[in-house]
Every structure is written in structure tokens, then in C-alpha cells.
Amino acid sequence: EIVLTQSPGTLSLSPGERATLSCRASQIVGSSYLAWYQQKPGQAPRLLIYGASSRATDIPDRFSGSGSGTDFTLSISRLEPEDFAVYFCQQYGNSPLTFGGGTKVEIK
Amino acid sequence: DVQLVESGGDLVQPGGSLRLSCEASGFSFSNYAMTWVRQAPGKGLEWVSTISDSGGRTFYADSVEGRFTISRDNSKNTLFLQMNSLRAEDTAIYYCAKGEWELPTYFDYWGQGTLVTVSS
């Protein structure tokens, strides 16, 4: 199975700053089938990005995804207070589908 | 609006059984594969099981194969997960999720989850 490694584990930033989150796969993710989710405490995950770079419905354009092959990035251009959360990547190019361990974006 | 509402989570002893349900609304349930994903306390997400739109195909993670059974009732827009021979490591919040495709896929809607605790 494909192992997804997210880094850093925790990102400490201030509102208005740019966040850059990494997701590295142990094998090539077919067709760039990589998704990103946001999860706040006590809530279900929320789909942000699919196909590595396509924003899901109603997701603000400050969220963007990029990458291919084994290296993928989620960028948040200017952090809003509601963006402080945990972010997970997920690959669906190969079975079984797998998730990364998450990156926590916390207020500095 | 799409809604997924899980229920059935509880405290159960090791070796016990539990049946989870997920009631769906706001979309054509019978046209979509459905999935269970779990999250152990303080941990990441783990795919558990997926069922095809018709219910004719089922898929399981190795960690639950032979112990869990996924099913659905399209007439009642409800997804189920029968969990047998439960172990401490099955303790988690269980989410039902709607996938864009069968497998593999990403998940565009998730329920709020139901907590399963396996402990004596």
C-alpha cells in the first residue's frame, strides 16, 4: 500500500501568513489522485482539494493544491482564524486508499 | 443539502458485537458507493470498508476482514456496519462517507461520526 508522510507535524503561524503543507507518497500516486481534507476538533473531515489541485465546492480560493507523482503540497495563501485545524492528505490512485498522518496548523 | 447521520456507537467488551447505522439524505443514495472510515483517539484516518451502489460488491481493510460486514438498505437510504469479535484496537470514531466513485475514491461528504469504545 502507498504510505503518505505529511510534514511538518505541526505548523505554528499567525493569521495572515502563508501556510505550506507537504504530503509525500512512498510510490507514485496514479493520475494525481490526491485529496486534502480539513478537520477541526470534534468535527468530521471536510474535503478541500481533489485531483491534487481541484478545489471542492464552496472552498475559498486561498486554498490551493499542487504536485504530482510522489510530492504534493497544500497551500493556504493568507491564514484566516477559521483555518487553524488539522489537515490530512489521502491518495485514491491505488487500492487500498490511504491517508497521511496529518499536519496541525496552530496559532503562533 | 447532503446529510449523513451515524448512530449505534457504544461501549462494548472485547469480543463483543455492535451494529452501526448511517442515515443518508439530500442525494440519490442508491447511485453512490458508501464507505466507513475510522479515527482512533488522537490518531489519523483509516479506511475500513466500502460497498457498491447496489450493494453487490464489498471491500474491506485487512484489519477488519472477516470480522466486519458492510451492508445497505437503499429503500431506507441507510448504510450499516456489523462489527463482530471487537478488539481494543477497534476503538475509534466511525464516520460514514459518500464517495465520488466506488473504489478508490475521495470523499465529498462525511457524517459527524459515532464513537465505538472497546474495553472491559
Side-chain angles (χ1 to χ4, degrees):
Chain A
E1 72 178 44
I2 293 181
V3 176
L4 299 178
T5 302
Q6 291 188 241
S7 61
T10 301
L11 198 52
S12 299
L13 294 168
S14 300
E17 289 193 296
R18 180 182 184 85
T20 302
L21 287 66
S22 172
C23 176
R24 179 162 292 178
S26 60
Q27 305 169 40
I28 291 175
V29 176
S31 304
S32 294
Y33 281 167
L34 195 288
W36 289 93
Y37 301 88
Q38 176 193 68
Q39 187 177 34
K40 297 179 181 179
Q43 296 186 18
R46 172 193 181 196
L47 177 67
L48 299 175
I49 300 287
Y50 62 94
S53 60
S54 297
R55 267 188 303 276
T57 303
D58 295 331
I59 300 303
D61 61 8
R62 65 179 180 273
F63 291 92
S64 63
S66 63
S68 64
T70 61
D71 289 304
F72 298 87
T73 299
L74 174 70
S75 298
I76 311 171
S77 58
R78 294 170 309 279
L79 283 164
E80 297 286 342
E82 61 267 27
D83 299 336
F84 292 91
V86 178
Y87 293 83
F88 293 99
C89 58
Q90 177 227 329
Q91 68 81 21
Y92 54 102
N94 302 74
S95 286
L97 60 88
T98 50
F99 294 88
T103 289
K104 180 180 182 181
V105 179
E106 65 175 22
I107 299 177
K108 186 174 182 180
Chain B
D1 287 1
V2 172
Q3 284 204 329
L4 299 169
V5 180
E6 303 94 336
S7 61
D10 204 346
L11 171 64
V12 61
Q13 292 189 339
S17 298
L18 211 54
R19 190 192 198 202
L20 306 183
S21 300
C22 171
E23 293 188 30
S25 61
F27 67 102
S28 184
F29 182 73
S30 61
N31 286 349
Y32 290 91
M34 295 295 295
T35 292
W36 290 97
V37 176
R38 68 185 180 184
Q39 186 172 33
K43 302 296 184 181
L45 299 162
E46 179 188 16
W47 170 72
V48 174
S49 181
T50 294
I51 187 167
S52 65
D53 52 3
S54 66
R57 291 180 298 280
T58 57
F59 309 87
Y60 298 95
D62 290 345
S63 57
V64 306
E65 180 88 55
R67 301 187 298 122
F68 290 11
T69 302
I70 192 172
S71 61
R72 65 191 295 162
D73 183 341
N74 284 347
S75 68
K76 296 182 179 178
N77 289 353
T78 303
L79 174 71
F80 302 101
L81 186 67
Q82 177 67 44
M83 310 165 66
N84 298 332
S85 303
L86 283 161
R87 307 166 179 167
E89 55 264 36
D90 295 319
T91 294
I93 295 173
Y94 285 73
Y95 297 101
C96 70
K98 171 186 168 291
E100 185 65 15
W101 310 307
E102 190 170 284
L103 265 186
T105 184
Y106 62 91
F107 305 104
D108 51 0
Y109 292 99
W110 299 64
Q112 289 300 302
T114 188
L115 177 62
V116 173
T117 303
V118 184
S119 174
S120 54

